[in-house]
Amino acid sequence: MRDGNWWLGVIQSATHPATQDGPHRAHWARFVAAALATARATGELDEREVLVRQANLCLVLARDGRLEEIADTLRPDDAARDCLAYAASISDDPPATDKIEAMRRLRRIRNVMAPAVALVDHVTDDDLRDQLAGWTNVLPGLP
């Protein structure tokens, strides 16, 4: 079993060619998306880390008009839904016992939802777009 640092090294090394101009960038983008999914499925990377990286990968590729390069592996709608589900799962946790834990929980939500909200113009599902748009008002108030 590999540790999370190994996965991060692989993912970070592959993200550069996946997000830059180059002859094989589509292959690199699919590789990064697959590596993130595998690291998440095996539990070797923290879910929050994977969700943020997936949303950011979608965002960079969308900005460059290259989302189709990973459509078979990762879509903005899926990345945004996963982020929303994560935020909901944290909200469903028992109440924090102190202010510091409450602040940490809110930061975890903010850190996952910020890149998801940035995808609002790239998701295709209208309900999902509305949910993300609602978060644009909430995010500035989170620590």
Side-chain angles (χ1 to χ4, degrees), residues 93-135:
D93 285 348
T97 56
D98 61 28
K99 289 181 181 183
I100 292 173
E101 179 52 36
M103 188 176 295
R104 286 181 183 147
R105 183 179 294 178
L106 292 172
R107 268 195 206 127
R108 285 192 304 268
I109 292 171
R110 183 198 64 202
N111 290 342
V112 168
M113 288 308 301
V117 167
L119 288 172
V120 71
D121 294 331
H122 307 288
V123 298
T124 57
D125 182 291
D126 291 336
D127 291 334
L128 182 57
R129 192 176 305 117
D130 290 344
Q131 289 177 49
L132 292 173
W135 276 91

Side-chain angles (χ1 to χ4, degrees), residues 53-74:
R53 288 178 182 273
Q54 286 176 330
N56 282 327
L57 178 62
C58 285
L59 190 59
V60 168
L61 295 177
R63 181 192 66 214
D64 295 343
R66 299 182 0 217
L67 275 175
E68 72 282 349
E69 294 177 5
I70 61 167
D72 59 337
T73 313
L74 178 66

Side-chain angles (χ1 to χ4, degrees), residues 20-68:
Q20 303 299 312
D21 287 335
H24 303 292
R25 66 183 180 197
H27 297 291
W28 285 108
R30 282 193 298 277
F31 175 76
V32 171
L36 285 166
T38 302
R40 180 182 183 194
T42 59
E44 294 177 22
L45 267 186
D46 179 70
E47 183 176 18
R48 182 180 54 217
E49 179 79 29
V50 171
L51 295 175
V52 168
R53 288 178 182 273
Q54 286 176 330
N56 282 327
L57 178 62
C58 285
L59 190 59
V60 168
L61 295 177
R63 181 192 66 214
D64 295 343
R66 299 182 0 217
L67 275 175
E68 72 282 349

